[in-house]
Amino acid sequence: MEWWRVVGLCTDGRCFCSGQWQVFTGNDVGALIGWWLWTSLKKEAEPRCAADVYCIASAVSSTILKSLAAKEGFTFVETLTGFKWMGNKATELMAQGKTVLFAFEEAIGFMCGTTVLDKDGVSAAMVMAEMTVWLDNQGMSLRQKLDDIYSTYGYHVSNNSYYICNDPLLIEKIFNRLRNYEGTGKYPASCGPYKIKFVRDLTTGFDNSQPNHCAILPVSKSSQMITFTFTNGCILTLRGSGTEPKLKYYAELSTPPSQELDREAVAAELDKLVDNMVTHFLEPEKNKLFARAP
């Protein structure tokens, strides 16, 4: 069978499975390609030290590669958003003799290997085709393999979107309110019923997950970006777009396989948390924010 009939992919990440179109997010594709490249590497005749193999993802992307790394033994690295950061990190690691296997960003950007130190859709499409043909020979679809990855390494469900805001000063005001939440001089300790464990502010350099409360990732005072880590495992990042009049949010809830929750239950819990974030943190009616068109 021709590979493209097996893959059934089109340019927006959809897959034709069992007579129906299946929409894959950038995070889903990142999980699939990351798993495949690691699986393929392990089959090489000369095995490499797993700790010297690196996968990279941006701060707003899924942590699925981090979960794979924790179980498989390779190393995961997080960077700021944008492939200039991932490409630079890959170059740095290669100079140290490390193997950079894969890098991705949730907004449909993939770097397979280091032949091209940037997002490259051509090589990513070929890797997807190779993987899908192999899976088809095993009697498995992309959707089935993705479910298998999540059941093995834990569900990682995302809810990403944005609000339109044409006033940069208003965006700054919204973020500054979070830094002085309800006049306390502190970041919020909760969002509705959801308790916050850590806060990382890459505008000010604050990160209370670190012993010295200083962020590891680079800090930029000219851009707004705060990440909240919740006690239920959710990671939520709010950031202002550097190129568009948007206030973006990226939320992911990951659960360990031991919890044995299904994807629908995880997604429902994440949706509730995002609803609370919109209500308590963004206040769209008060701030006259316009939701993303359906």
Side-chain angles (χ1 to χ4, degrees):
M1 181 182 293
E2 300 96 328
W3 72 263
W4 57 269
R5 290 188 183 277
V6 176
V7 179
L9 288 176
C10 63
T11 55
D12 63 358
R14 293 180 295 173
C15 175
F16 195 70
C17 302
S18 303
Q20 295 182 338
W21 287 105
Q22 170 69 54
V23 178
F24 288 142
T25 67
N27 285 330
D28 291 338
V29 176
L32 285 163
I33 294 181
W35 166 83
W36 173 247
L37 291 176
W38 171 247
T39 299
S40 300
L41 186 72
K42 289 193 296 182
K43 295 177 181 177
E44 289 188 351
E46 297 182 7
R48 310 184 198 191
C49 175
D52 289 334
V53 176
Y54 283 72
C55 285
I56 305 169
S58 69
V60 298
S61 300
S62 172
T63 59
I64 182 61
L65 294 183
K66 184 177 182 180
S67 296
L68 264 78
K71 192 162 187 175
E72 298 292 337
F74 64 85
T75 305
F76 171 77
V77 175
E78 181 186 55
T79 71
L80 292 180
T81 57
F83 269 83
K84 73 173 184 179
W85 296 102
M86 286 181 274
N88 287 341
K89 176 57 69 173
T91 300
E92 175 188 321
L93 292 169
M94 291 163 61
Q96 299 171 14
K98 309 300 184 183
T99 298
V100 178
L101 190 63
F102 179 51
F104 91 98
E105 189 156 78
E106 60 84 32
I108 318 295
F110 312 101
M111 185 184 89
C112 302
T114 53
T115 301
V116 179
L117 290 172
D118 200 348
K119 57 184 175 183
D120 179 36
V122 175
S123 60
M126 294 303 100
V127 170
M128 282 291 290
E130 176 187 54
M131 171 182 56
T132 311
V133 170
W134 185 87
L135 288 172
D136 186 67
N137 289 334
Q138 311 303 310
M140 183 176 286
S141 69
L142 287 171
R143 177 73 258 176
Q144 289 170 326
K145 184 64 229 181
L146 185 62
D147 288 341
D148 179 63
I149 291 170
Y150 288 142
S151 64
T152 302
Y153 301 99
Y155 279 107
H156 291 65
V157 179
S158 300
N159 184 334
N160 303 338
S161 193
Y162 60 82
Y163 278 81
I164 299 293
C165 181
N166 293 298
D167 183 356
L169 293 179
L170 177 56
I171 291 180
E172 183 178 351
K173 180 180 178 181
I174 291 171
F175 278 88
N176 284 337
R177 173 178 171 267
L178 295 175
R179 298 181 180 110
N180 180 27
Y181 196 64
E182 296 181 343
T184 61
K186 299 178 181 179
Y187 296 90
S190 63
C191 181
Y194 297 97
K195 302 298 181 183
I196 295 171
K197 185 176 183 181
F198 298 122
V199 178
R200 180 181 67 189
D201 188 339
L202 292 181
T203 306
T204 66
F206 175 81
D207 184 351
N208 64 355
S209 71
Q210 301 301 317
N212 60 0
H213 286 194
C214 292
I216 296 174
L217 290 178
V219 174
S220 173
K221 294 181 179 179
S222 63
S223 58
Q224 301 291 336
M225 183 171 176
I226 300 178
T227 298
F228 300 96
T229 299
F230 290 82
T231 56
N232 69 349
C234 177
I235 298 175
L236 170 73
T237 294
L238 299 173
R239 64 184 287 260
S241 172
T243 57
E244 301 170 294
K246 294 178 180 178
L247 199 168
K248 298 182 176 181
Y249 64 83
Y250 309 80
E252 180 182 60
L253 180 57
S254 57
T255 60
S258 58
Q259 287 193 10
E260 298 182 350
L261 296 174
D262 60 33
R263 185 180 181 87
E264 289 71 23
V266 178
E269 179 70 2
L270 180 59
D271 288 345
K272 291 178 184 177
L273 191 151
V274 168
D275 287 344
N276 274 273
M277 178 277 296
V278 170
T279 298
H280 297 288
F281 289 0
L282 300 188
E283 301 180 303
E285 292 186 4
K286 174 183 175 181
N287 291 314
K288 296 181 172 58
L289 304 177
F290 299 96
R292 172 184 178 180

